[in-house]
Amino acid sequence: MEPRFAPQPEPGDHTVHDSEWAGEARAAAGCAGLLLAVSLIVEACDGGLNLPAALLWIALAVVLFVVLLPARVVAAPGRLTVRTLWTRTSVRTDRLATLQWPDGIERRLVLTDTDGGRARIDLRVLLANPPLWLLLEADARTSYESGTLRHGVRDLDRLTRCVDRDAAHSIFTISGLH
């Protein structure tokens, strides 16, 4: 018997989560915990640990955790939500107005809907989660066909080629052909 507090998917629920988020959050916590443990041990071995030093190392470990913790991305048909520790932004992906993927080293996709909602997604999230990408791409194409997506069709096509290239590279690598 399943616990009754476990969330049950609704029939037809097509919500997609960033499958890498939990591992990256654990890695962020591990790095922060390791920094804290090593710094407290070094401090204790170097003449004794005092309260101000311990508080400083704890604060630095918390800052490191906050910096390393990735945003959590959740998508459903027509909506994409990006959550950080302090913010939650949602965008209607079936009513996109702009889609921007800047050239250069910027690896974030910026989505803006017709209601003014805006979300930024790291490209690594899309590359690591094909179902998330497929849902976003389908909704972006819907926005284009309905006429709301006026800026960013080239970026969408460029992004599609990038995702396809990354998927092909992964397949060739796994199969030993690359």
Side-chain angles (χ1 to χ4, degrees):
M1 177 176 210
E2 289 186 29
R4 61 183 197 160
F5 57 83
Q8 299 297 315
E10 305 258 340
D13 182 22
H14 300 291
T15 303
V16 180
H17 300 269
D18 176 5
S19 62
E20 305 287 317
W21 184 85
E24 291 180 14
R26 281 191 299 276
C31 288
L34 184 62
L35 171 70
L36 180 60
V38 168
S39 59
L40 291 179
I41 289 169
V42 168
E43 191 75 32
C45 292
D46 188 38
L49 182 64
N50 57 37
L51 184 61
L55 291 176
L56 173 68
W57 289 116
I58 291 169
L60 286 174
V62 168
V63 168
L64 180 64
F65 175 72
V66 168
V67 167
L68 293 179
L69 186 66
R72 187 169 198 164
V73 179
V74 178
R79 179 164 305 279
L80 183 124
T81 303
V82 179
R83 294 182 192 145
T84 65
L85 281 176
W86 294 285
T87 63
R88 178 179 181 222
T89 57
S90 287
V91 66
R92 292 292 311 253
T93 52
D94 57 349
R95 292 188 301 195
L96 289 176
T98 62
L99 184 148
Q100 297 172 321
W101 185 38
D103 289 328
I105 61 171
E106 180 69 29
R107 302 289 289 183
R108 295 188 186 272
L109 180 66
V110 181
L111 305 170
T112 308
D113 66 18
T114 56
D115 298 331
R118 182 180 169 136
R120 295 172 54 102
I121 310 165
D122 194 319
L123 180 60
R124 291 176 298 161
V125 172
L126 296 176
L127 294 175
N129 297 282
L132 185 68
W133 162 247
L134 292 173
L135 188 59
L136 175 61
E137 182 189 26
D139 282 348
R141 299 283 177 201
T142 299
S143 296
Y144 174 71
E145 290 167 4
S146 68
T148 62
L149 182 60
R150 297 172 196 250
H151 304 286
V153 177
R154 284 190 181 137
D155 285 343
L156 178 62
D157 291 338
R158 192 167 51 99
L159 185 59
T160 300
R161 287 190 303 275
C162 177
V163 171
D164 290 345
R165 187 174 42 251
D166 184 73
H169 183 266
S170 297
I171 290 169
F172 287 138
T173 301
I174 290 170
S175 66
L177 296 174
H178 185 263

